[in-house]
Amino acid sequence: MQQREVKKLPTLRGRTVVNLFFEDSTRTRSSFEIAGKWLSADVINISGKGSSTSKGESLRDTVLTVAAMGVDALVIRHHASGAAQQVSQWVDAHVVNAGDGTHEHPTQALLDAYTMERRLGDLEGRHVAIVGDLTHSRVVRSNLITLRTLGARVTLVAPPTLMPSGIGAWAAAEGFALSNDFDAVLPTADAVMMLRVQRERMSGGFFPTPREYTVGYGLTRPRLDVLMAANPDAVICHPGPMNRGLEISPDAADAASSLVLDQVSAGVAVRMSVLYHLLAGGEGEDS
């Protein structure tokens, strides 16, 4: 579709999709909007700042109001973990989780896996290192589920202060590895996924200075050289937005092995697929 001159299919003509975003977003919101429009759905965007929630209306009343207009799907991003699941119990429309607090971001994990498979092939047995702010990341949780399902070997790397509470028990149960030493993990990685340092979610001192974080856990130019020397076919991912110069250097972000823009392109295709499977087929109870 992305290579066509006319990017339009009639598949979802007559369907209405509402993007209900209570947090800021560029990639996810835009790609869901493009995905819906390319499938000929009617797409409406509502932001939290421009909705009645800014006047004190509850989330429940907002989604019930929108659903009462006869929409077919709600794509929701919310700062509260579990919000999408809760909304799905209030409305009959399909609900797509576009990120809920620090819980999950399912379509991001799908597009990440799709992007890596296109470059690396089958992910069975591949070593994926996910590095950075694990405590505040919803991406890492969804990626762990997806990558482990596809047979990848996953190592989570972060300073002790950014390791989620209880992660040790989860790692032991699910069979992924934990490390506080990025340099030890790097040479064996087939893919390195850098996570954004989410300073807007931090209320305390998780690391002394940005410079110290970069020295210990940033994908710097020297670390990029080590990765490419050890594995010339290794790839670099980042779900975005990037803090250039903090968790990832410009050299790494713009390297030939970087899949950052490929992830953005894949986001449209994956989200088209999600909307297609939900809205173009039957109305199964588990949709």
Side-chain angles (χ1 to χ4, degrees), residues 16-270:
T16 302
V17 178
V18 174
N19 292 330
L20 193 55
F21 276 61
F22 294 92
E23 287 187 325
D24 295 338
S25 172
T26 298
R27 294 155 190 77
T28 305
R29 178 170 169 168
S30 297
S31 60
F32 266 116
E33 182 176 1
I34 291 170
K37 288 182 175 179
W38 282 4
L39 290 171
S40 299
D42 296 311
V43 181
I44 300 167
N45 292 316
I46 301 175
S47 65
K49 296 172 184 175
S51 72
S52 293
T53 56
S54 63
K55 301 177 181 179
E57 185 176 62
S58 68
L59 174 63
R60 184 177 187 274
D61 286 336
T62 297
V63 297
L64 287 174
T65 298
V66 174
M69 299 177 189
V71 304
D72 299 290
L74 293 173
V75 178
I76 182 167
R77 168 170 288 187
H78 199 274
H79 53 79
S81 297
Q85 174 67 24
Q86 182 64 72
V87 169
S88 71
Q89 297 172 6
W90 290 333
V91 301
D92 292 328
H94 297 291
V95 177
V96 181
N97 185 357
D100 59 329
T102 59
H103 181 222
E104 283 206 52
H105 195 349
T107 57
Q108 181 68 46
L110 290 173
L111 72 90
D112 289 340
Y114 174 68
T115 304
M116 285 187 277
E117 279 200 335
R118 291 192 72 186
R119 180 69 69 90
L120 298 174
D122 190 355
L123 295 182
E124 179 79 35
R126 294 285 195 173
H127 183 201
V128 181
I130 305 179
V131 186
D133 184 359
L134 305 180
T135 293
H136 303 101
S137 175
R138 51 188 166 222
V139 172
V140 68
R141 290 161 176 78
S142 292
N143 262 293
L144 269 173
I145 296 168
T146 305
L147 293 171
R148 293 292 297 141
T149 300
L150 295 174
R153 183 165 58 94
V154 181
T155 301
L156 302 186
V157 183
T161 53
L162 289 174
M163 282 284 184
S165 176
I167 191 71
W170 189 19
E174 296 296 330
F176 57 88
L178 303 174
S179 177
N180 302 130
D181 190 343
F182 189 13
D183 294 309
V185 173
L186 193 61
T188 64
D190 296 297
V192 177
M193 181 178 296
M194 304 304 299
L195 299 178
R196 181 173 67 90
V197 175
Q198 299 188 39
R199 286 176 282 194
E200 74 278 6
R201 297 184 190 271
M202 295 181 180
S203 57
F206 287 87
F207 46 85
T209 65
R211 173 63 181 164
E212 188 165 335
Y213 180 87
T214 301
V215 168
Y217 295 94
L219 187 54
T220 59
R221 180 55 196 251
R223 286 197 174 103
L224 175 64
D225 293 339
V226 169
L227 177 65
M228 291 296 99
N231 185 355
D233 295 325
V235 297
I236 300 163
C237 298
H238 195 304
M242 294 183 288
N243 292 315
R244 287 176 180 254
L246 183 55
E247 74 265 1
I248 188 168
S249 68
D251 290 318
D254 300 327
S257 55
S258 172
L259 301 182
V260 173
L261 294 181
D262 299 79
Q263 290 172 270
V264 176
S265 298
V268 177
V270 165

